[in-house]
Amino acid sequence: MPVLAVVLALLAIWYVGAVLMNMKLVRDGFEREETKYTTAELIAGTMTAERPLLAAPHQIVATFADDIFGYPPNSPRSLIYHSAVTLSATFLGFVMGAVFGIFLAILIVQFRTLEKSLLPWIICSQMVPILALAPIFIVVLGAIGVHGLFPKALISAYLCFFPVTIGMVKGLSSPDPIQRDLMRTWSATPSQVFWKLRWPSAVPLLFASLKVAITISLIGAIVAELPTGGQAGIGARLLAGSYYGQTIQLWAALLAASMLAAGLIALVGLTERAAARAMGARS
Amino acid sequence: MADKVTDVKADPAVRRLAVDVRDVSLTFETADGKVNALANVQLQIAEGEFVSFIGPSGCGKTTLLRLIADLEQPTSGTLLVNGVTAGEARLERAYGYVFQAPALYPWRTIEKNVMLPLEVMGFSDSERRERAKRYLALVNLSGFERKFPWQLSGGMQQRASIARALSFDPALLLMDEPFGALDEIVRDHLNEQLLRLWDKTNKTVVFVTHSIPEAVFLSTKIVVMSPRPGRIIDIIDCEFPRDRTLEIRETPEFIKIAQRVRNGLRAGHSYDE
């Protein structure tokens, strides 16, 4: 119930905002055509403007539904097509980023000296604005003949390995001294200590960081679609929408992006719950 | 009782030494200078004995146990376990160690926790299963194989950790205040069970405690220690039969030994105050 109330309140504010922001646009339209108009017509006009400043929610939903169901899924006008393009880059980037992030964390935990030498660079890598970096990636990779999915996935991976590394360094170092001493009393090998103690200890933090990583990975994939000039993907839709002033299309693409993000987090969440159950977590 | 005593104190040449500590010292380097954790410790533990280390905190009793386990290295002196160095003994998996906390791995079931050292040591799958069953039965935890640690009480968890330490059948059992966190009723019960276990399996047990009744009840030999620097101030033979029961705590002999331990602890403390 409280959730519903908040949603309704937000919708109401949105509609009021749409009326106020689009008012001038619609009035100018009427005056340009020198037709008489009533206030009711004016308000109705703000709800149906073709290129509103702020699109009304029902317009967004209608366009969204049309973009999804109105075209065959493989048509370049279908949002499903664009979502699939972005999603594949997101997944590939997420997998590459997660694997790389975990690899770095293992290096840092196994060789403590690396923490001092490696970590500043890792942090620096995240301080460079990705919007500036993305075109460089795309152009350089394009020049050596790598196009399409991989450069985008690389940018995703570049962004999303960071939370995984930070989370896993903490997770892999989380076993307490007694748990480690036990392994020593059994003369366990370093790889046994890793697989039987450090790795399982890190699983809760692994999932926490994967949840962050997968949304960042989606953002990375969308950002990576912008400098290519945007043939396909949600980023391309956003670019085209802003280029041609198609605000409703912009909003529909944003809606698709947020739904993808929610879906991806839910997917990681489900995996997390299955893992937790297998590992005897209190329910 | 008398013949039992001679039994325990049989010719030392015949009984192998499980632990042989010769003039061992350990100094820790800390931020505020050197700390003499142990100074010139001499101690011989024969196979089959039940030896308790007792003393106030900071007397180095846990440190001495950790030295025997090769979890710390002495600064000077020699320390042999089963006739070889502590490090070699650890690699030969000569001992099982029970810590103050059960430290069961929370993502493993009780059975899998007991099987963990066996996995590390490369026992076969069927052997692991068979041993987990056997040692869980030994500590009265049959039927709890599939439970996770949080589903068990503290005393049950500690029993599971004892089963884990016994699972690979080490001749030496090192126990660091294993029942310290438990209430007295559970502790009494586990003390009795531990004695039965020791009697049945013929293992050597080295047991750290700060409870005088516990030390006197369990031990064949009580090592009284004193802090700053950590050292042994008295070694008391405790000649009750191996199959002793809790009732011996009411006997005059028991009270006499307890008194001697208490006096030793007090003497070790006096120069402090």
Side-chain angles (χ1 to χ4, degrees):
Chain A
M1 260 334 262
V3 178
L4 194 64
V6 170
V7 169
L8 286 176
L10 283 177
L11 278 178
I13 293 171
W14 193 330
Y15 270 112
V16 171
V19 169
L20 293 177
M21 287 179 73
N22 300 333
M23 185 87 80
K24 187 171 178 293
L25 200 84
V26 177
R27 191 186 292 134
D28 288 353
F30 279 127
E31 276 164 8
R32 212 177 305 124
E33 289 164 23
E34 293 177 353
T35 44
K36 295 215 178 296
Y37 59 90
T38 61
T39 313
E41 280 171 339
L42 190 62
I43 291 175
T46 61
M47 293 289 100
T48 53
E50 209 178 304
R51 292 175 183 186
L53 272 179
L54 180 61
H58 68 268
Q59 287 180 295
I60 297 167
V61 171
T63 305
F64 179 75
D66 188 47
D67 282 354
I68 287 196
F69 302 111
Y71 308 96
N74 57 352
S75 149
R77 302 201 57 179
S78 164
L79 252 186
I80 293 182
Y81 165 74
H82 292 287
S83 297
V85 168
T86 303
L87 209 54
S88 48
T90 303
F91 269 127
L92 184 59
F94 172 68
V95 171
M96 293 191 323
V99 168
F100 182 63
I102 292 169
F103 173 73
L104 273 184
I106 293 172
L107 276 186
I108 287 172
V109 171
Q110 295 290 326
F111 311 98
R112 273 287 161 189
T113 44
L114 282 182
E115 182 162 3
K116 285 205 180 79
S117 50
L118 224 50
L119 215 51
W121 293 105
I122 293 172
I123 291 166
C124 277
S125 77
Q126 302 301 305
M127 290 176 172
V128 183
I130 193 67
L131 268 174
L133 215 53
I136 301 176
F137 270 72
I138 304 281
V139 169
V140 169
L141 285 171
I144 58 169
V146 184
H147 300 281
L149 184 65
F150 184 73
K152 292 198 286 177
L154 203 62
I155 288 165
S156 272
Y158 182 89
L159 279 184
C160 83
F161 84 90
F162 182 68
V164 177
T165 299
I166 299 297
M168 284 305 276
V169 166
K170 195 161 166 52
L172 292 172
S173 335
S174 66
D176 64 43
I178 293 187
Q179 287 176 325
R180 271 179 285 143
D181 277 348
L182 270 170
M183 279 291 180
R184 189 170 155 80
T185 68
W186 303 326
S187 303
T189 63
S191 90
Q192 285 173 328
V193 174
F194 180 82
W195 288 112
K196 294 184 191 298
L197 177 58
R198 287 190 187 278
W199 180 259
S201 307
V203 165
L205 272 158
L206 172 68
F207 279 106
S209 47
L210 286 186
K211 272 190 209 161
V212 179
I214 199 155
T215 42
I216 293 183
S217 173
L218 178 64
I219 292 169
I222 291 175
V223 167
E225 281 160 358
L226 299 179
T228 50
Q231 292 94 9
I234 288 179
R237 288 286 276 201
L238 289 171
L239 196 67
S242 66
Y243 197 72
Y244 298 111
Q246 298 284 352
T247 39
I248 306 180
Q249 185 195 320
L250 259 174
W251 280 102
L254 275 182
L255 188 61
S258 58
M259 285 172 77
L260 282 183
L264 290 172
I265 291 181
L267 205 64
V268 177
L270 276 179
T271 323
E272 177 181 30
R273 218 167 314 154
R277 202 167 311 136
M279 293 173 74
R282 282 165 219 241
S283 41
Chain B
M1 200 168 113
D3 45 23
K4 288 272 184 188
V5 172
T6 49
D7 195 40
V8 170
K9 288 179 141 184
D11 185 6
V14 180
R15 293 168 73 95
R16 251 185 3 131
L17 283 181
V19 178
D20 190 0
V21 182
R22 289 183 191 277
D23 204 25
V24 160
S25 299
L26 174 60
T27 316
F28 287 120
E29 304 277 352
T30 68
D32 0 297
K34 290 184 173 181
V35 174
N36 272 330
L38 287 171
N40 309 101
V41 171
Q42 307 273 3
L43 179 67
Q44 278 71 44
I45 300 173
E47 280 185 343
E49 276 195 285
F50 195 124
V51 177
S52 290
F53 299 166
I54 190 166
S57 48
C59 72
K61 53 193 192 298
T62 294
T63 308
L64 183 53
L65 198 70
R66 289 175 66 85
L67 279 172
I68 296 170
D70 189 41
L71 294 174
E72 314 278 355
Q73 277 70 43
T75 316
S76 65
T78 54
L79 200 160
L80 299 180
V81 177
N82 291 341
V84 295
T85 66
E88 286 165 333
R90 178 173 64 81
L91 290 174
E92 286 170 10
R93 283 133 179 181
Y95 65 85
Y97 202 109
V98 180
F99 290 87
Q100 272 167 297
L104 299 168
Y105 290 9
W107 55 86
R108 286 177 164 253
T109 59
I110 296 302
E111 181 186 40
K112 290 243 171 80
N113 263 291
V114 175
M115 281 160 41
L116 180 58
L118 305 174
E119 276 173 35
V120 168
M121 295 172 192
F123 284 76
S124 76
D125 196 50
S126 56
E127 179 82 9
R128 293 204 293 255
R129 224 166 283 282
E130 188 273 318
R131 278 172 179 252
K133 197 172 147 65
R134 173 151 38 108
Y135 285 100
L136 280 173
L138 195 68
V139 297
N140 291 330
L141 277 178
S142 296
F144 292 91
E145 285 87 352
R146 297 289 149 83
K147 298 276 188 231
F148 282 98
W150 62 272
Q151 296 170 300
L152 268 61
S153 70
M156 291 163 97
Q157 287 187 29
Q158 196 54 287
R159 264 147 60 198
S161 89
I162 293 171
R164 178 179 59 187
L166 291 171
S167 64
F168 51 99
D169 201 26
L172 180 60
L173 194 56
L174 306 176
M175 307 179 90
D176 183 7
E177 294 188 40
F179 310 135
L182 306 175
D183 66 65
E184 203 167 335
I185 300 163
V186 177
R187 182 193 271 230
D188 277 352
H189 183 63
L190 291 184
N191 278 342
E192 264 190 308
Q193 282 190 333
L194 178 60
L195 266 185
R196 295 293 87 79
L197 203 96
W198 168 68
D199 193 23
K200 244 188 289 183
T201 56
N202 244 337
K203 293 192 186 304
T204 313
V205 180
V206 185
F207 190 94
V208 169
T209 180
H210 53 234
S211 156
I212 296 173
E214 188 173 63
V216 181
F217 174 63
L218 290 171
S219 313
T220 60
K221 191 188 261 179
I222 302 169
V223 176
V224 183
M225 298 180 70
S226 151
R228 282 175 294 271
R231 65 201 189 281
I232 293 173
I233 51 174
D234 196 5
I235 296 178
I236 305 165
D237 285 314
C238 195
E239 297 158 347
F240 297 104
R242 286 178 73 94
D243 55 351
R244 59 192 82 171
T245 58
L246 282 169
E247 281 69 53
I248 64 155
R249 292 192 300 191
E250 321 300 334
T251 62
E253 294 95 318
F254 187 95
I255 292 163
K256 217 173 92 194
I257 295 172
Q259 211 131 42
R260 185 169 159 198
V261 175
R262 191 167 294 118
N263 289 339
L265 290 175
R266 213 171 278 155
H269 242 329
S270 59
Y271 74 103
D272 251 343
E273 276 115 25

